[in-house]
Amino acid sequence: GALLALSKPPGLPILGRPGDLSLDVLLPALRRRLGLSAELHVVKAPAREYSGIVLLSTCYHTTKKLQQFFTNARQRGQYPATYRAITVGVPAEVEGEICTGLCWQQQGDRAMVRGCWRAGGTGDAPGNAEGCALQVVPVPAPGRRSLARKDVKLTLTRYQVLSTMRGCALLQLQPKTAFPEQLQVHLTLLLCPALGDHEHSSHVGRVLGVPFLLTPDTAPTRTQVLDEELLSQLGLSPRQLHHLPLHIHLQELLLP
């Protein structure tokens, strides 16, 4: 009917700056190729760094109805989106929930950016913070005032370990909330950053092989560090590591 599903590669943004390659720029060509009379609208899509399902619609009312369904489903305690992730490290428990506050924070400064994040499905950064060096940081015990002012958003992700091999794990992730970079931060709180996460993996340190959590202030962003055995399995050299994409994939969407 009105719906079309695509599989997006990692690194392709939904919306881009003028002149940049993005899904939005490609939609008119896709419409012509499929011979569709109506314009295509993005119903649901993973963040730029993620791969996986992009749900499109040729009907504006269908788009709005489904987007409201996803919002209502999370509010009812359902998990309409299911992701898969490969992690460096294996969680201590085979399943559980990660619940923490998240906020935007300027790198190298504790000043918070208030009320400017967009909670859409595309994982966009704050709308009025373009050009600023910002990062998403956890707030383990947010106060009522910060939550009321929306300085901090309380976030929750349910996870399950599906398989493990040689110090890595395949996880199923079901976020109940929507916040940019939520899944990456939650995986670091499990001490198991996603493979290819060059933004948050530095927040997990190791001493004698035992992982521990570092604060963002003490762990600057850098290319993910992998041991020689894993590099060999991936067929990568240390110089090629920065090309390794983020291994988080939107696998399934629940529709009414």
Side-chain angles (χ1 to χ4, degrees), residues 1-24:
L3 296 179
L4 173 68
L6 306 176
S7 184
K8 184 184 84 69
L12 179 67
I14 306 306
L15 300 174
R17 297 176 181 177
D20 290 348
L21 180 65
S22 66
L23 180 65
D24 188 58

Side-chain angles (χ1 to χ4, degrees), residues 33 42 50-51 94 106 119 123 127 169 187 227:
R33 182 170 180 177
V42 178
Y50 299 175
S51 60
V94 295
Q106 292 183 18
L187 289 174
D227 59 39

Side-chain angles (χ1 to χ4, degrees), residues 203 213-220:
H203 300 161
L213 196 64
L214 295 166
T215 63
D217 293 339
T218 60

Side-chain angles (χ1 to χ4, degrees), residues 27-109:
L27 288 183
L30 178 63
R31 172 188 171 188
R32 291 192 297 269
R33 182 170 180 177
L34 296 176
L36 301 175
S37 57
E39 292 185 5
L40 286 166
H41 307 280
V42 178
V43 180
K44 182 76 173 176
R48 173 179 185 153
E49 297 82 5
Y50 299 175
S51 60
I53 296 173
V54 173
L55 188 62
L56 304 172
S57 171
T58 56
C59 174
Y60 176 80
H61 296 292
T62 299
T63 299
K64 293 302 178 183
K65 181 179 178 181
L66 286 174
Q67 288 175 342
Q68 189 61 49
F69 166 78
F70 291 130
T71 300
N72 294 342
R74 288 194 297 265
Q75 293 173 349
R76 290 193 301 266
Q78 296 177 329
Y79 297 81
T82 299
Y83 294 78
R84 293 283 173 91
I86 295 177
T87 62
V88 180
V90 179
E93 303 292 336
V94 295
E95 60 181 328
E97 292 183 342
I98 311 113
C99 183
T100 188
L102 291 180
C103 74
W104 286 99
Q105 190 179 85
Q106 292 183 18
Q107 288 185 344
D109 192 341

Side-chain angles (χ1 to χ4, degrees), residues 14-251:
I14 306 306
L15 300 174
R17 297 176 181 177
D20 290 348
L21 180 65
S22 66
L23 180 65
D24 188 58
V25 170
L26 297 173
L27 288 183
L30 178 63
R31 172 188 171 188
R32 291 192 297 269
R33 182 170 180 177
L34 296 176
L36 301 175
S37 57
E39 292 185 5
L40 286 166
H41 307 280
V42 178
V43 180
K44 182 76 173 176
R48 173 179 185 153
E49 297 82 5
Y50 299 175
S51 60
I53 296 173
V54 173
L55 188 62
L56 304 172
S57 171
T58 56
C59 174
Y60 176 80
H61 296 292
T62 299
T63 299
K64 293 302 178 183
K65 181 179 178 181
L66 286 174
Q67 288 175 342
Q68 189 61 49
F69 166 78
F70 291 130
T71 300
N72 294 342
R74 288 194 297 265
Q75 293 173 349
R76 290 193 301 266
Q78 296 177 329
Y79 297 81
T82 299
Y83 294 78
R84 293 283 173 91
I86 295 177
T87 62
V88 180
V90 179
E93 303 292 336
V94 295
E95 60 181 328
E97 292 183 342
I98 311 113
C99 183
T100 188
L102 291 180
C103 74
W104 286 99
Q105 190 179 85
Q106 292 183 18
Q107 288 185 344
D109 192 341
R110 294 182 181 275
M112 222 179 275
V113 178
R114 288 187 53 190
C116 58
W117 59 272
R118 296 195 296 269
T122 59
D124 290 333
N128 64 350
E130 189 173 347
C132 296
L134 298 174
Q135 60 180 341
V136 178
V137 298
V139 183
R144 291 182 179 179
R145 289 186 179 181
S146 61
L147 292 172
R149 293 195 305 262
K150 298 186 178 180
D151 292 340
V152 179
K153 181 173 181 177
L154 200 59
T155 59
L156 186 146
T157 300
R158 186 167 64 184
Y159 76 91
Q160 180 181 0
V161 178
L162 301 179
S163 63
T164 63
M165 181 179 289
R166 299 180 183 178
C168 293
L170 175 65
L171 266 61
Q172 176 176 284
L173 303 172
Q174 293 179 301
K176 188 180 177 182
T177 52
F179 195 93
E181 303 176 23
Q182 173 178 322
L183 297 182
Q184 296 103 294
V185 176
H186 283 188
L187 289 174
T188 62
L189 294 177
L190 285 178
L191 302 179
C192 301
L195 182 65
D197 185 355
H198 307 300
E199 185 73 22
H200 300 279
S201 60
S202 60
H203 300 161
V204 178
R206 288 184 180 272
V207 173
L208 299 177
V210 179
F212 65 95
L213 196 64
L214 295 166
T215 63
D217 293 339
T218 60
T221 298
R222 66 179 183 187
T223 300
Q224 188 174 34
V225 177
L226 302 178
D227 59 39
E228 292 184 3
E229 182 181 358
L230 185 51
L231 279 174
S232 176
Q233 292 175 26
L234 294 170
L236 296 174
S237 68
R239 292 184 178 182
Q240 296 172 315
L241 254 180
H242 68 280
H243 293 300
L244 185 67
L246 182 66
H247 281 58
I248 297 180
H249 180 81
L250 177 54
Q251 187 204 22

